[in-house]
Short mmCIF file of all heavy atoms in Angstrom, two decimals:
data_model
loop_
_atom_site.label_atom_id
_atom_site.label_comp_id
_atom_site.label_asym_id
_atom_site.label_seq_id
_atom_site.Cartn_x
_atom_site.Cartn_y
_atom_site.Cartn_z
N ILE A 1 0.82 -1.22 0.01
CA ILE A 1 0.04 0.03 0.00
C ILE A 1 0.86 1.24 0.01
O ILE A 1 0.61 2.17 -0.74
CB ILE A 1 -0.92 0.00 1.23
CG1 ILE A 1 -1.98 -1.07 1.09
CG2 ILE A 1 -1.65 1.36 1.38
CD1 ILE A 1 -2.91 -1.21 2.27
N ILE A 2 1.91 1.22 0.83
CA ILE A 2 2.72 2.45 0.94
C ILE A 2 3.43 2.71 -0.41
O ILE A 2 3.61 3.85 -0.79
CB ILE A 2 3.84 2.25 2.10
CG1 ILE A 2 3.12 2.22 3.47
CG2 ILE A 2 4.95 3.27 2.00
CD1 ILE A 2 3.99 1.81 4.60
N LYS A 3 3.89 1.61 -1.08
CA LYS A 3 4.53 1.79 -2.32
C LYS A 3 3.59 2.29 -3.45
O LYS A 3 4.00 3.10 -4.31
CB LYS A 3 5.19 0.46 -2.74
CG LYS A 3 5.92 0.48 -4.05
CD LYS A 3 6.47 -0.85 -4.48
CE LYS A 3 7.15 -0.82 -5.77
NZ LYS A 3 7.74 -2.19 -6.13
N LYS A 4 2.40 1.75 -3.44
CA LYS A 4 1.46 2.00 -4.55
C LYS A 4 0.56 3.24 -4.38
O LYS A 4 0.09 3.77 -5.36
CB LYS A 4 0.60 0.82 -4.77
CG LYS A 4 1.33 -0.48 -5.18
CD LYS A 4 1.84 -0.43 -6.59
CE LYS A 4 2.38 -1.75 -7.01
NZ LYS A 4 2.86 -1.72 -8.44
N GLN A 5 0.38 3.67 -3.11
CA GLN A 5 -0.64 4.69 -2.84
C GLN A 5 0.00 5.91 -2.19
O GLN A 5 0.35 5.80 -1.00
CB GLN A 5 -1.78 4.13 -1.98
CG GLN A 5 -2.48 2.92 -2.74
CD GLN A 5 -3.59 2.32 -1.95
OE1 GLN A 5 -4.36 2.98 -1.33
NE2 GLN A 5 -3.73 0.98 -2.02
N HIS A 6 0.18 6.99 -2.94
CA HIS A 6 1.01 8.08 -2.53
C HIS A 6 0.39 8.81 -1.32
O HIS A 6 1.14 9.54 -0.61
CB HIS A 6 1.21 9.06 -3.66
CG HIS A 6 -0.08 9.66 -4.14
ND1 HIS A 6 -0.62 10.82 -3.53
CD2 HIS A 6 -0.93 9.33 -5.13
CE1 HIS A 6 -1.73 11.14 -4.20
NE2 HIS A 6 -1.95 10.23 -5.14
N ASP A 7 -0.87 8.67 -1.05
CA ASP A 7 -1.53 9.41 0.04
C ASP A 7 -1.61 8.54 1.26
O ASP A 7 -2.41 8.92 2.19
CB ASP A 7 -2.97 9.86 -0.37
CG ASP A 7 -3.85 8.67 -0.75
OD1 ASP A 7 -3.33 7.57 -1.04
OD2 ASP A 7 -5.07 8.85 -0.74
N HIS A 8 -0.77 7.51 1.43
CA HIS A 8 -0.92 6.59 2.54
C HIS A 8 -0.71 7.27 3.93
O HIS A 8 -1.15 6.70 4.97
CB HIS A 8 0.09 5.47 2.43
CG HIS A 8 1.54 5.90 2.47
ND1 HIS A 8 2.20 6.27 1.33
CD2 HIS A 8 2.37 6.03 3.51
CE1 HIS A 8 3.45 6.63 1.61
NE2 HIS A 8 3.61 6.54 2.96
N LYS A 9 -0.06 8.38 3.97
CA LYS A 9 0.14 9.03 5.28
C LYS A 9 -1.21 9.66 5.83
O LYS A 9 -1.19 10.12 7.00
CB LYS A 9 1.22 10.10 5.16
CG LYS A 9 2.65 9.54 4.91
CD LYS A 9 3.67 10.64 4.88
CE LYS A 9 5.06 10.05 4.63
NZ LYS A 9 6.07 11.13 4.55
N GLU A 10 -2.16 9.78 4.99
CA GLU A 10 -3.39 10.40 5.41
C GLU A 10 -4.45 9.40 5.95
O GLU A 10 -5.50 9.84 6.36
CB GLU A 10 -4.04 11.10 4.20
CG GLU A 10 -3.14 12.22 3.59
CD GLU A 10 -3.73 12.82 2.28
OE1 GLU A 10 -4.86 12.44 1.95
OE2 GLU A 10 -3.03 13.60 1.63
N PHE A 11 -4.12 8.08 5.96
CA PHE A 11 -5.06 7.16 6.48
C PHE A 11 -4.39 6.00 7.17
O PHE A 11 -3.16 5.89 7.13
CB PHE A 11 -5.97 6.66 5.31
CG PHE A 11 -5.22 6.01 4.16
CD1 PHE A 11 -4.80 4.69 4.25
CD2 PHE A 11 -4.91 6.71 2.99
CE1 PHE A 11 -4.14 3.99 3.21
CE2 PHE A 11 -4.25 6.06 1.98
CZ PHE A 11 -3.87 4.78 2.07
N GLN A 12 -5.18 5.14 7.79
CA GLN A 12 -4.67 3.96 8.47
C GLN A 12 -5.18 2.67 7.80
O GLN A 12 -6.37 2.67 7.39
CB GLN A 12 -5.11 3.98 9.98
CG GLN A 12 -4.83 2.70 10.72
CD GLN A 12 -3.35 2.51 11.09
OE1 GLN A 12 -2.48 2.51 10.15
NE2 GLN A 12 -3.05 2.34 12.32
N VAL A 13 -4.39 1.69 7.72
CA VAL A 13 -4.80 0.33 7.30
C VAL A 13 -4.05 -0.65 8.22
O VAL A 13 -2.81 -0.45 8.43
CB VAL A 13 -4.52 0.05 5.83
CG1 VAL A 13 -4.61 -1.45 5.56
CG2 VAL A 13 -5.51 0.76 4.92
N GLY A 14 -4.70 -1.60 8.73
CA GLY A 14 -4.05 -2.71 9.42
C GLY A 14 -4.54 -4.02 8.97
O GLY A 14 -5.65 -4.20 8.58
N PHE A 15 -3.62 -5.02 8.99
CA PHE A 15 -3.97 -6.40 8.61
C PHE A 15 -3.66 -7.26 9.84
O PHE A 15 -2.70 -7.07 10.60
CB PHE A 15 -3.16 -6.91 7.47
CG PHE A 15 -3.41 -6.21 6.17
CD1 PHE A 15 -2.58 -5.24 5.58
CD2 PHE A 15 -4.60 -6.52 5.47
CE1 PHE A 15 -2.88 -4.66 4.45
CE2 PHE A 15 -4.87 -5.86 4.25
CZ PHE A 15 -4.07 -4.92 3.75
N LEU A 16 -4.53 -8.31 10.03
CA LEU A 16 -4.33 -9.33 11.06
C LEU A 16 -4.46 -10.66 10.38
O LEU A 16 -5.36 -10.93 9.66
CB LEU A 16 -5.42 -9.15 12.08
CG LEU A 16 -5.64 -10.27 13.17
CD1 LEU A 16 -4.35 -10.45 14.02
CD2 LEU A 16 -6.83 -9.94 14.04
N ALA A 17 -3.51 -11.59 10.74
CA ALA A 17 -3.48 -12.91 10.09
C ALA A 17 -3.26 -14.01 11.11
O ALA A 17 -2.64 -13.82 12.17
CB ALA A 17 -2.36 -12.92 9.05
N LEU A 18 -3.80 -15.19 10.73
CA LEU A 18 -3.68 -16.40 11.52
C LEU A 18 -3.40 -17.55 10.63
O LEU A 18 -4.09 -17.76 9.65
CB LEU A 18 -4.96 -16.61 12.30
CG LEU A 18 -5.12 -17.89 13.20
CD1 LEU A 18 -4.20 -17.78 14.35
CD2 LEU A 18 -6.58 -18.11 13.60
N ASN A 19 -2.37 -18.33 10.93
CA ASN A 19 -2.02 -19.50 10.06
C ASN A 19 -2.51 -20.78 10.71
O ASN A 19 -2.99 -20.82 11.86
CB ASN A 19 -0.57 -19.53 9.66
CG ASN A 19 0.31 -19.79 10.86
OD1 ASN A 19 -0.02 -20.26 11.98
ND2 ASN A 19 1.66 -19.48 10.69
N LYS A 20 -2.29 -21.88 10.01
CA LYS A 20 -2.77 -23.23 10.50
C LYS A 20 -2.05 -23.73 11.71
O LYS A 20 -2.58 -24.61 12.41
CB LYS A 20 -2.66 -24.20 9.38
CG LYS A 20 -3.57 -23.96 8.20
CD LYS A 20 -5.02 -24.43 8.50
CE LYS A 20 -5.14 -25.89 8.42
NZ LYS A 20 -6.55 -26.40 8.64
N LYS A 21 -0.92 -23.16 12.03
CA LYS A 21 -0.25 -23.57 13.28
C LYS A 21 -0.80 -22.89 14.48
O LYS A 21 -0.37 -23.14 15.62
CB LYS A 21 1.28 -23.29 13.13
CG LYS A 21 2.07 -24.06 12.12
CD LYS A 21 3.50 -23.62 12.17
CE LYS A 21 4.37 -24.30 11.12
NZ LYS A 21 5.77 -23.79 11.15
N GLY A 22 -1.67 -21.94 14.27
CA GLY A 22 -2.17 -21.09 15.39
C GLY A 22 -1.23 -19.96 15.73
O GLY A 22 -1.30 -19.42 16.75
N GLU A 23 -0.43 -19.56 14.71
CA GLU A 23 0.41 -18.40 14.87
C GLU A 23 -0.36 -17.14 14.33
O GLU A 23 -0.92 -17.21 13.26
CB GLU A 23 1.71 -18.57 14.11
CG GLU A 23 2.60 -19.74 14.62
CD GLU A 23 3.69 -20.04 13.72
OE1 GLU A 23 3.62 -19.73 12.48
OE2 GLU A 23 4.73 -20.61 14.19
N SER A 24 -0.30 -16.09 15.09
CA SER A 24 -0.95 -14.80 14.69
C SER A 24 0.08 -13.72 14.54
O SER A 24 1.16 -13.76 14.97
CB SER A 24 -2.01 -14.38 15.66
OG SER A 24 -1.41 -14.05 16.89
N GLY A 25 -0.32 -12.71 13.83
CA GLY A 25 0.49 -11.51 13.63
C GLY A 25 -0.26 -10.40 12.96
O GLY A 25 -1.26 -10.61 12.29
N ALA A 26 0.19 -9.18 13.14
CA ALA A 26 -0.52 -8.00 12.61
C ALA A 26 0.50 -6.94 12.23
O ALA A 26 1.64 -6.92 12.75
CB ALA A 26 -1.52 -7.45 13.62
N TYR A 27 0.10 -6.03 11.40
CA TYR A 27 0.96 -4.95 10.99
C TYR A 27 0.02 -3.82 10.42
O TYR A 27 -0.97 -4.10 9.83
CB TYR A 27 1.96 -5.33 9.88
CG TYR A 27 3.24 -4.55 9.97
CD1 TYR A 27 4.28 -4.96 10.75
CD2 TYR A 27 3.44 -3.38 9.26
CE1 TYR A 27 5.49 -4.24 10.85
CE2 TYR A 27 4.64 -2.66 9.34
CZ TYR A 27 5.62 -3.11 10.14
OH TYR A 27 6.82 -2.38 10.14
N SER A 28 0.46 -2.56 10.65
CA SER A 28 -0.38 -1.40 10.19
C SER A 28 0.54 -0.31 9.67
O SER A 28 1.73 -0.24 10.02
CB SER A 28 -1.29 -0.92 11.29
OG SER A 28 -0.52 -0.50 12.43
N ILE A 29 -0.09 0.62 8.96
CA ILE A 29 0.63 1.79 8.41
C ILE A 29 1.14 2.64 9.55
O ILE A 29 2.33 3.03 9.61
CB ILE A 29 -0.20 2.62 7.45
CG1 ILE A 29 -0.56 1.77 6.16
CG2 ILE A 29 0.47 3.92 7.07
CD1 ILE A 29 -1.53 2.48 5.27
N SER A 30 0.29 2.96 10.50
CA SER A 30 0.60 3.84 11.58
C SER A 30 0.50 3.12 12.91
O SER A 30 -0.18 2.08 13.01
CB SER A 30 -0.38 5.08 11.62
OG SER A 30 -0.37 5.74 10.39
N LYS A 31 1.10 3.64 13.91
CA LYS A 31 1.02 3.02 15.24
C LYS A 31 -0.39 3.17 15.74
O LYS A 31 -1.18 4.03 15.36
CB LYS A 31 1.98 3.74 16.21
CG LYS A 31 3.47 3.52 15.94
CD LYS A 31 4.28 4.33 16.97
CE LYS A 31 5.79 4.02 16.69
NZ LYS A 31 6.65 4.73 17.67
N GLY A 32 -0.77 2.26 16.67
CA GLY A 32 -2.09 2.30 17.31
C GLY A 32 -2.95 1.14 17.07
O GLY A 32 -3.93 0.92 17.81
N PHE A 33 -2.68 0.33 16.05
CA PHE A 33 -3.53 -0.81 15.76
C PHE A 33 -3.26 -1.90 16.77
O PHE A 33 -2.10 -2.29 16.95
CB PHE A 33 -3.29 -1.30 14.31
CG PHE A 33 -4.09 -2.57 13.95
CD1 PHE A 33 -5.38 -2.77 14.37
CD2 PHE A 33 -3.46 -3.53 13.20
CE1 PHE A 33 -6.07 -3.95 14.10
CE2 PHE A 33 -4.14 -4.72 12.86
CZ PHE A 33 -5.44 -4.90 13.32
N GLU A 34 -4.34 -2.43 17.37
CA GLU A 34 -4.26 -3.50 18.33
C GLU A 34 -5.15 -4.59 17.92
O GLU A 34 -6.20 -4.40 17.27
CB GLU A 34 -4.60 -3.01 19.78
CG GLU A 34 -3.71 -1.93 20.28
CD GLU A 34 -4.24 -1.34 21.63
OE1 GLU A 34 -5.48 -1.06 21.68
OE2 GLU A 34 -3.46 -1.25 22.53
N TYR A 35 -4.87 -5.85 18.32
CA TYR A 35 -5.78 -6.92 18.13
C TYR A 35 -5.92 -7.80 19.36
O TYR A 35 -5.00 -7.86 20.19
CB TYR A 35 -5.38 -7.78 16.91
CG TYR A 35 -4.13 -8.65 17.08
CD1 TYR A 35 -4.20 -9.97 17.47
CD2 TYR A 35 -2.79 -8.11 16.84
CE1 TYR A 35 -3.06 -10.77 17.55
CE2 TYR A 35 -1.72 -8.91 16.92
CZ TYR A 35 -1.86 -10.22 17.33
OH TYR A 35 -0.74 -10.98 17.41
N ALA A 36 -7.09 -8.44 19.50
CA ALA A 36 -7.37 -9.24 20.66
C ALA A 36 -7.12 -10.70 20.30
O ALA A 36 -7.49 -11.16 19.21
CB ALA A 36 -8.85 -9.07 21.07
N GLN A 37 -6.44 -11.41 21.18
CA GLN A 37 -6.15 -12.81 21.00
C GLN A 37 -6.53 -13.67 22.18
O GLN A 37 -6.19 -13.37 23.29
CB GLN A 37 -4.64 -13.03 20.71
CG GLN A 37 -4.21 -14.48 20.55
CD GLN A 37 -2.71 -14.57 20.30
OE1 GLN A 37 -2.29 -14.43 19.14
NE2 GLN A 37 -1.99 -14.92 21.29
N TYR A 38 -7.29 -14.72 21.90
CA TYR A 38 -7.74 -15.65 22.95
C TYR A 38 -7.08 -16.99 22.59
O TYR A 38 -7.42 -17.65 21.60
CB TYR A 38 -9.20 -15.77 23.04
CG TYR A 38 -9.74 -16.15 24.42
CD1 TYR A 38 -10.88 -15.57 24.94
CD2 TYR A 38 -9.09 -17.07 25.22
CE1 TYR A 38 -11.35 -15.86 26.19
CE2 TYR A 38 -9.55 -17.35 26.50
CZ TYR A 38 -10.67 -16.75 26.96
OH TYR A 38 -11.17 -17.09 28.17
N ALA A 39 -6.15 -17.41 23.41
CA ALA A 39 -5.41 -18.70 23.23
C ALA A 39 -4.90 -19.21 24.53
O ALA A 39 -4.51 -18.43 25.40
CB ALA A 39 -4.23 -18.51 22.23
N GLU A 40 -4.91 -20.52 24.67
CA GLU A 40 -4.39 -21.16 25.93
C GLU A 40 -5.04 -20.56 27.15
O GLU A 40 -4.43 -20.23 28.13
CB GLU A 40 -2.83 -21.08 25.95
CG GLU A 40 -2.21 -21.81 24.77
CD GLU A 40 -0.72 -21.55 24.63
OE1 GLU A 40 -0.27 -20.49 25.11
OE2 GLU A 40 -0.03 -22.36 24.03
N ASN A 41 -6.38 -20.32 27.03
CA ASN A 41 -7.19 -19.83 28.16
C ASN A 41 -6.81 -18.42 28.56
O ASN A 41 -7.07 -17.99 29.71
CB ASN A 41 -7.15 -20.75 29.36
CG ASN A 41 -7.78 -22.13 29.05
OD1 ASN A 41 -8.87 -22.16 28.53
ND2 ASN A 41 -7.03 -23.21 29.38
N LYS A 42 -6.22 -17.60 27.70
CA LYS A 42 -5.87 -16.30 27.99
C LYS A 42 -6.31 -15.33 26.88
O LYS A 42 -6.00 -15.56 25.69
CB LYS A 42 -4.31 -16.15 28.16
CG LYS A 42 -3.84 -14.74 28.52
CD LYS A 42 -2.31 -14.75 28.68
CE LYS A 42 -1.82 -13.34 29.11
NZ LYS A 42 -0.35 -13.30 29.17
N ASN A 43 -7.06 -14.33 27.29
CA ASN A 43 -7.60 -13.34 26.37
C ASN A 43 -6.82 -12.03 26.54
O ASN A 43 -6.85 -11.44 27.66
CB ASN A 43 -9.11 -13.12 26.57
CG ASN A 43 -9.82 -12.35 25.45
OD1 ASN A 43 -9.22 -12.23 24.34
ND2 ASN A 43 -10.97 -11.84 25.78
N GLU A 44 -6.13 -11.55 25.57
CA GLU A 44 -5.28 -10.34 25.72
C GLU A 44 -5.24 -9.50 24.52
O GLU A 44 -5.59 -9.93 23.38
CB GLU A 44 -3.81 -10.79 26.02
CG GLU A 44 -3.20 -11.70 24.94
CD GLU A 44 -1.82 -12.20 25.26
OE1 GLU A 44 -1.11 -11.51 26.12
OE2 GLU A 44 -1.43 -13.24 24.78
N LEU A 45 -4.94 -8.26 24.76
CA LEU A 45 -4.85 -7.25 23.71
C LEU A 45 -3.37 -7.07 23.34
O LEU A 45 -2.50 -6.85 24.21
CB LEU A 45 -5.39 -5.93 24.17
CG LEU A 45 -5.75 -4.87 23.08
CD1 LEU A 45 -6.86 -5.40 22.19
CD2 LEU A 45 -6.21 -3.61 23.75
N ILE A 46 -3.06 -7.20 21.99
CA ILE A 46 -1.66 -7.24 21.50
C ILE A 46 -1.49 -6.05 20.53
O ILE A 46 -2.32 -5.82 19.62
CB ILE A 46 -1.31 -8.51 20.83
CG1 ILE A 46 -1.51 -9.68 21.88
CG2 ILE A 46 0.10 -8.50 20.25
CD1 ILE A 46 -1.36 -11.00 21.19
N LYS A 47 -0.41 -5.30 20.69
CA LYS A 47 -0.11 -4.19 19.74
C LYS A 47 0.50 -4.79 18.48
O LYS A 47 1.33 -5.68 18.55
CB LYS A 47 0.88 -3.19 20.37
CG LYS A 47 0.30 -2.44 21.50
CD LYS A 47 1.25 -1.41 22.09
CE LYS A 47 0.64 -0.56 23.15
NZ LYS A 47 1.58 0.42 23.73
N SER A 48 0.06 -4.22 17.31
CA SER A 48 0.59 -4.72 16.08
C SER A 48 2.02 -4.24 15.93
O SER A 48 2.42 -3.29 16.54
CB SER A 48 -0.24 -4.26 14.91
OG SER A 48 -0.17 -2.83 14.77
#
């Protein structure tokens, strides 16, 4: 997005992914994106 869209500094986009091993991860253009994860009986908020 950053490479293709010159106005990327004006907005936020975040992606959150989960694979078949149960590994999760996230990333966003700007700071502030968080995601909630419930695993191994623990529900927590994680910063991207």
Side-chain angles (χ1 to χ4, degrees):
I1 291 176
I2 291 172
K3 179 181 179 181
K4 298 287 187 179
Q5 301 180 38
H6 64 86
D7 60 340
H8 64 270
K9 293 183 179 180
E10 299 174 7
F11 59 81
Q12 171 74 304
V13 166
F15 293 104
L16 168 62
L18 177 67
N19 67 17
K20 290 283 284 186
K21 293 180 183 179
E23 298 169 334
S24 66
Y27 210 88
S28 59
I29 293 177
S30 304
K31 292 180 179 180
F33 175 40
E34 299 173 312
Y35 70 97
Q37 175 178 282
Y38 209 140
E40 299 171 337
N41 294 311
K42 184 180 180 181
N43 194 15
E44 60 184 332
L45 198 61
I46 300 173
K47 292 184 179 180
S48 66

